[in-house]
């Protein structure tokens, strides 16, 4: 039995309904089953402050033994992956292309490193045509495998909102950094009424440390 088939069999009914029926991967599949995972997402054209925030969050996740999940896009995604690697943590790249494609092309080395030393996953088979809708589909899978999603920085039209809505729909925790709400992003404000929480300088350490083990497929003995 394949690693994904065993994993899929352990999903809840709701998770199975939202899971891809096939998952292609390279690397350490156990990262998908053990411990906690948190998706760190946000703008491709990230500000200097956004870079600092993404690094701070990813470093704290590593310090709490939480695997950093992201989508290998430019901007926040790349920073999250690189920070997790820099601080000897674990990271999972969830891509919107087949495993043998690199998008953006400048992330080829990072993608190959994650495939070799961490975990790279895709729900798209080889030769599958890459279209803009592949990325929101990818976001659903990224939300599915994560115990929580953190939105670092985003614009009104940002694709990040797909990830946020999927996390809420799946009953996962969603954290939105205070700066996104200060920018009066309408979808972010709407998400608060559906259970999203605001991450501030005062509460982010406590909230991240308190993220529950929602998705682990390993039995923990207390």
């Amino acid at each position: 039995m394949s690693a994904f088939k065993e994993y899929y069999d352990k999903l809840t009914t709701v998770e199975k309904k939202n899971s891809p029926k096939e998952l292609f991967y390279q690397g350490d599949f156990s990262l998908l089953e053990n411990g906690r995972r948190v998706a760190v997402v946000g703008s491709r054209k990230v500000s200097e402050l956004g870079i600092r925030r993404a690094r701070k969050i990813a470093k704290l996740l590593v310090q709490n033994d939480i695997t950093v999940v992201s989508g290998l896009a430019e901007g926040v995604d790349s920073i999250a992956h690189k920070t997790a690697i820099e601080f000897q943590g674990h990271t999972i790249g969830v891509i919107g292309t087949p495993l043998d494609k690199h998008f953006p092309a400048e992330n080829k080395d990072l993608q190959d490193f994650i495939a070799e030393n961490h975990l790279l996953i895709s729900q798209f088979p080889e030769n599958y045509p890459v279209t803009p809708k592949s990325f929101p589909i990818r976001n659903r899978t990224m939300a599915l495998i994560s115990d929580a999603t953190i939105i670092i920085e985003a614009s009104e039209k940002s694709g990040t909102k797909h990830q946020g809505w999927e996390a809420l729909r799946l009953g996962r925790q969603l954290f939105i950094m205070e700066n996104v709400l200060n920018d009066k992003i309408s979808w972010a404000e709407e998400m608060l009424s559906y259970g999203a929480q605001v991450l501030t300088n005062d509460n982010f350490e406590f909230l991240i440390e308190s993220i529950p083990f929602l998705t682990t497929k390993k039995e923990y003995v207390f």
Side-chain angles (χ1 to χ4, degrees), residues 112-133:
D112 291 348
F113 184 87
I114 289 172
E116 180 85 16
N117 299 284
H118 296 268
L119 179 63
L120 181 71
I121 63 176
S122 170
Q123 64 206 86
F124 304 105
E126 203 172 322
N127 299 319
Y128 192 89
V130 179
T131 67
K133 67 181 181 186

Side-chain angles (χ1 to χ4, degrees), residues 111-182:
Q111 180 171 316
D112 291 348
F113 184 87
I114 289 172
E116 180 85 16
N117 299 284
H118 296 268
L119 179 63
L120 181 71
I121 63 176
S122 170
Q123 64 206 86
F124 304 105
E126 203 172 322
N127 299 319
Y128 192 89
V130 179
T131 67
K133 67 181 181 186
S134 299
F135 296 92
I137 293 169
R138 175 276 310 270
N139 284 114
R140 173 180 294 181
T141 299
M142 191 152 50
L144 177 79
I145 67 167
S146 301
D147 297 291
T149 288
I150 299 174
I151 296 176
I152 301 288
E153 188 173 275
S155 66
E156 195 64 59
K157 294 181 178 176
S158 174
T160 303
K161 66 185 173 193
H162 298 297
Q163 173 92 13
W165 286 121
E166 291 294 351
L168 290 171
R169 205 172 56 76
L170 287 161
R172 309 295 194 234
Q173 290 192 329
L174 175 64
F175 300 112
I176 304 175
M177 295 208 76
E178 190 175 28
N179 50 286
V180 178
L181 293 151
N182 290 343

Side-chain angles (χ1 to χ4, degrees), residues 162-222:
H162 298 297
Q163 173 92 13
W165 286 121
E166 291 294 351
L168 290 171
R169 205 172 56 76
L170 287 161
R172 309 295 194 234
Q173 290 192 329
L174 175 64
F175 300 112
I176 304 175
M177 295 208 76
E178 190 175 28
N179 50 286
V180 178
L181 293 151
N182 290 343
D183 288 343
K184 300 281 191 269
I185 306 297
S186 63
W187 53 260
E189 292 175 345
E190 189 182 353
M191 284 174 182
L192 294 182
S193 64
Y194 286 90
Q197 298 177 72
V198 185
L199 269 195
T200 70
N201 238 350
D202 297 326
N203 71 11
F204 80 98
E205 291 192 20
F206 169 75
L207 287 177
I208 285 173
E209 287 164 5
S210 306
I211 289 169
F213 287 77
L214 287 176
T215 64
T216 183
K217 301 307 170 195
K218 181 181 175 184
E219 297 295 327
Y220 285 89
V221 179
F222 291 95

Side-chain angles (χ1 to χ4, degrees), residues 9-60:
D9 286 347
K10 295 174 188 171
L11 297 179
T12 66
T13 305
V14 172
E15 286 172 341
K16 281 179 179 169
K17 189 178 170 187
N18 290 281
S19 171
K21 298 302 179 273
E22 275 191 295
L23 204 59
F24 306 93
Y25 71 94
Q26 293 172 335
D28 182 1
F29 195 83
S30 72
L31 293 180
L32 208 54
E33 301 177 291
N34 301 334
R36 293 178 292 175
R37 281 159 299 285
V38 170
V40 179
V41 295
S43 302
R44 285 177 164 79
K45 305 299 181 191
V46 61
S47 69
E48 281 301 316
L49 263 176
I51 291 170
R52 295 219 298 271
R53 290 178 179 124
R55 280 183 57 79
K56 194 172 187 177
I57 293 294
K59 183 180 177 184
L60 183 64

